[in-house]
């Protein structure tokens, strides 16, 4: 068993990385930054200026903002100033109302918001907000994590400031993990220390139900549920895909419901949760098995993100569905060697899926990840694993994971630049 001190560190890590969020975390993080700056200013600003890293801009352009019926950054920023509360964290827009949305539209129409790309941002996740009213101003900077403030000032007086640091130096301070430790922690830690992970099940299942009863995004979840019997059959695979994509439909379509995120991404939290919960229900897993499977899925995703970085050109569903695949193996009765095989099978398949921003069609990519997770788990349980003679897979599973993250973090940088160029020039 992982020693008590290490277990505490890992539990604290999970509690930092698996948190509720309302709406897509990139525009919500911008709204949070605006809310904090507005609070420092002490009144509604007459102007808001945003300087954003490319990945923040990319992920905030086409996604629905909860409770507004609108997409994109301007309404998120306006609401951050009008009704946002920084103490809510990633639920900063919790108090949105129809009246607030109308006030937000009026605020936007006054030409008060200026949004620009910051080509010199020190991190892929970097938000620099300045609010002004008359001669007074306030500036707040969030960097590296969606709720991590690195600068606050009012009227030129610095209230707090962190030394500049790259994302790499920041993640160097994270709890050191490998897949063996992840597996040992998930399967052997006393249950009462990790049963809090069931909150992810409850929140994300409610988001899925919201979408299945409504009409959000591209309605992929309800479409699969409606036609599933004919084309998929009433099977665990159909259930996993429909529930997971439905939760994404709700989140990307602007439903005002919280989801449990993972590593700063609601879609990653959904993908690490819903296939596991759905399959656990279908195979009559015990509550203990469900808790341990969810812990394995979420912690595997956190581990992979440690070396990938918060935001990258690699779609987050690759990471989260890899965690889910290992959890499916556990629920099928497999052990550590089968989990390793499933992870390798996933990396052999999904590596290279690009992130072209947060948007309703993310549900399609998530569904690809879920179906691949099941296929990879079944292969692993049948004693089949992609070998080191094939592609980027190595004999060692942790080396294989770092091969994946190196591609996403380094080799796909130019892909990221071109994706943003295409998105902003349409």
């Amino acid at each position: 068993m992982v020693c008590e001190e290490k277990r505490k560190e890992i539990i604290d890590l999970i509690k930092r990385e698996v948190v509720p969020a309302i709406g897509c975390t990139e525009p919500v993080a911008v709204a949070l930054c605006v809310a904090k700056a507005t609070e420092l200013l002490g009144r509604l600003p007459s102007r808001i200026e945003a300087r954003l890293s490319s990945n923040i801009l990319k992920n905030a352009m086409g996604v629905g903002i909860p409770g507004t019926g609108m997409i994109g950054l301007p309404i998120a920023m306006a609401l951050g100033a009008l009704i946002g509360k920084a103490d809510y964290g990633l639920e900063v827009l919790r108090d949105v109302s129809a009246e607030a949305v109308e006030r937000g539209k009026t605020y936007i129409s006054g030409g008060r918001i200026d949004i620009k790309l910051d080509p010199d941002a020190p991190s892929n996740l970097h938000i620099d907000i300045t609010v002004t009213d008359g001669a007074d101003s306030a500036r707040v900077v969030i960097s590296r994590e969606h709720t991590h403030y690195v600068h606050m000032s009012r009227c030129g007086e610095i209230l707090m400031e962190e030394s500049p640091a790259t994302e790499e130096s920041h993640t160097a301070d994270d709890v050191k993990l490998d897949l063996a430790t992840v597996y040992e922690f998930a399967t052997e830690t006393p249950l009462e220390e990790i049963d809090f992970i069931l909150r992810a099940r409850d929140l994300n299942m409610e988001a899925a139900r919201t979408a299945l009863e409504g009409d959000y995004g591209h309605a992929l979840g309800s479409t699969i549920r409606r036609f599933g019997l004919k084309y998929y059959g009433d099977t665990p695979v159909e259930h996993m895909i429909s529930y997971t994509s439905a939760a994404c439909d709700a989140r990307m379509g602007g439903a005002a419901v919280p989801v449990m995120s993972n590593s700063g991404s609601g879609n990653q939290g959904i993908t690490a949760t819903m296939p596991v919960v759905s399959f656990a229900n279908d195979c009559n897993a015990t509550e203990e098995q469900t808790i341990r499977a969810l812990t394995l899925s979420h912690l595997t995703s956190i581990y992979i993100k440690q070396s990938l970085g918060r935001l990258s050109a690699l779609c987050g569903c690759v990471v989260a569905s890899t965690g889910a695949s290992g959890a499916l193996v556990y629920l099928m009765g497999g052990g550590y060697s089968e989990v390793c095989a499933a992870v390798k099978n996933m990396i052999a398949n999904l590596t290279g899926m690009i992130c072209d921003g947060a948007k309703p069609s993310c549900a399609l990519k998530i569904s690809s990840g879920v179906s691949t997770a099941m296929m990879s788990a079944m292969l692993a349980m049948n004693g089949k694993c992609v070998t080191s003679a094939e592609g980027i897979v190595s004999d060692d599973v942790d080396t294989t994971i770092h091969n994946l993250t190196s591609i996403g973090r380094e080799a796909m940088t130019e892909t990221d630049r071109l994706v943003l160029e295409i998105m902003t020039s349409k």
Side-chain angles (χ1 to χ4, degrees):
M1 182 184 294
V2 177
C3 71
E4 183 177 355
E5 181 180 357
K6 182 77 167 182
R7 290 204 314 272
K8 184 179 183 305
E9 290 179 351
I10 295 174
I11 289 167
D12 289 344
L13 174 66
I14 296 172
K15 288 182 175 179
R16 289 198 306 272
E17 299 288 12
V18 181
V19 297
I22 296 178
C24 176
T25 44
E26 278 69 58
V28 166
V30 176
L32 174 63
C33 203
V34 171
K36 188 66 176 180
T38 300
E39 291 170 5
L40 291 181
L41 183 66
R43 58 186 183 274
L44 184 68
S46 57
R47 185 168 178 78
I48 308 172
E49 297 180 2
R51 300 296 177 264
L52 309 174
S53 62
S54 59
N55 286 80
I56 288 289
L57 197 60
K58 178 182 72 174
N59 281 342
M61 289 173 60
V63 69
I65 306 303
T68 69
M70 301 172 69
I71 65 170
L73 281 167
I75 189 63
M77 292 171 62
L79 291 173
L82 289 164
I83 55 95
K85 292 182 174 61
D87 284 347
Y88 289 173
L90 291 179
E91 296 180 276
V92 61
L93 300 182
R94 183 194 303 172
D95 297 333
V96 67
S97 64
E99 185 269 339
V101 173
E102 291 307 311
R103 289 173 60 203
K105 291 177 181 177
T106 301
Y107 191 94
I108 294 167
S109 67
R112 299 167 180 262
I113 295 174
D114 179 52
I115 302 168
K116 285 188 170 60
L117 172 67
D118 181 356
D120 300 316
S123 168
N124 285 340
L125 196 168
H126 192 78
I127 303 163
D128 190 332
I129 298 293
T130 299
V131 297
T132 57
D133 186 52
D136 294 334
S137 65
R139 178 176 174 235
V140 174
V141 180
I142 285 176
S143 195
R144 301 187 298 272
E145 296 180 11
H146 292 80
T147 59
H148 183 67
Y149 299 105
V150 297
H151 174 94
M152 296 184 196
S153 59
R154 187 183 189 282
C155 297
E157 179 187 356
I158 295 176
L159 305 176
M160 72 84 65
E161 187 161 43
E162 253 187 35
S163 303
T166 65
E167 189 164 359
E168 288 73 19
S169 64
H170 181 68
T171 56
D173 296 330
D174 284 342
V175 178
K176 300 299 187 293
L177 296 172
D178 53 41
L179 194 62
T181 301
V182 168
Y183 179 82
E184 185 179 3
F185 174 87
T187 57
E188 297 183 11
T189 295
L191 207 61
E192 65 274 12
E193 296 183 15
I194 56 174
D195 59 3
F196 65 87
I197 201 70
L198 289 176
R199 178 103 167 107
R201 174 196 65 186
D202 298 340
L203 282 182
N204 293 345
M205 180 60 82
E206 184 58 33
R209 292 191 181 110
T210 296
L212 290 173
E213 294 168 1
D215 184 19
Y216 295 93
H218 295 299
L220 179 60
S222 57
T223 299
I224 293 171
R225 177 56 52 86
R226 193 159 52 247
F227 297 112
L229 284 176
K230 181 176 180 180
Y231 297 110
Y232 281 96
D234 186 13
T235 65
V237 173
E238 183 273 325
H239 302 159
M240 286 192 294
I241 296 175
S242 60
Y243 276 119
T244 309
S245 56
C248 181
D249 287 332
R251 179 174 178 265
M252 295 288 95
V257 294
V259 301
M260 192 66 84
S261 65
N262 181 295
S263 303
S265 167
N267 279 347
Q268 286 171 200
I270 288 167
T271 309
T273 301
M274 292 311 300
V276 181
V277 169
S278 177
F279 188 72
N281 288 339
D282 280 334
C283 68
N284 297 315
T286 65
E287 185 168 270
E288 176 175 354
Q289 289 171 325
T290 302
I291 291 168
R292 295 196 183 283
L294 281 171
T295 302
L296 177 59
S297 180
H298 277 276
L299 189 55
T300 299
S301 298
I302 292 167
Y303 164 46
I304 298 173
K305 288 292 286 186
Q306 282 184 332
S307 56
L308 178 62
R310 290 276 163 175
L311 300 174
S312 74
L314 183 69
C315 178
C317 89
V318 176
V319 174
S321 57
T322 298
S325 189
L328 294 177
V329 164
Y330 170 79
L331 290 171
M332 291 173 181
Y336 177 64
S337 61
E338 287 81 14
V339 169
C340 291
V343 169
K344 291 180 182 181
N345 293 340
M346 289 294 291
I347 291 172
N349 190 326
L350 286 184
T351 297
M353 182 184 286
I354 65 167
C355 171
D356 53 344
K359 58 208 175 301
S361 61
C362 286
L364 292 164
K365 294 185 178 183
I366 281 176
S367 296
S368 296
V370 171
S371 59
T372 304
M374 186 61 164
M375 180 170 58
S376 297
M378 289 190 299
L379 274 177
M381 291 301 292
N382 194 37
K384 301 295 183 182
C385 178
V386 175
T387 69
S388 61
E390 304 171 71
I392 66 168
V393 172
S394 298
D395 288 327
D396 177 71
V397 68
D398 295 294
T399 301
T400 302
I401 287 170
H402 287 95
N403 292 343
L404 166 72
T405 58
S406 293
I407 289 171
R409 188 182 64 250
E410 300 165 15
M412 294 178 73
T413 301
E414 181 60 21
T415 299
D416 214 21
R417 185 202 63 75
L418 183 56
V419 165
L420 182 63
E421 181 181 313
I422 291 171
M423 291 175 63
T424 55
S425 62
K426 289 190 292 185

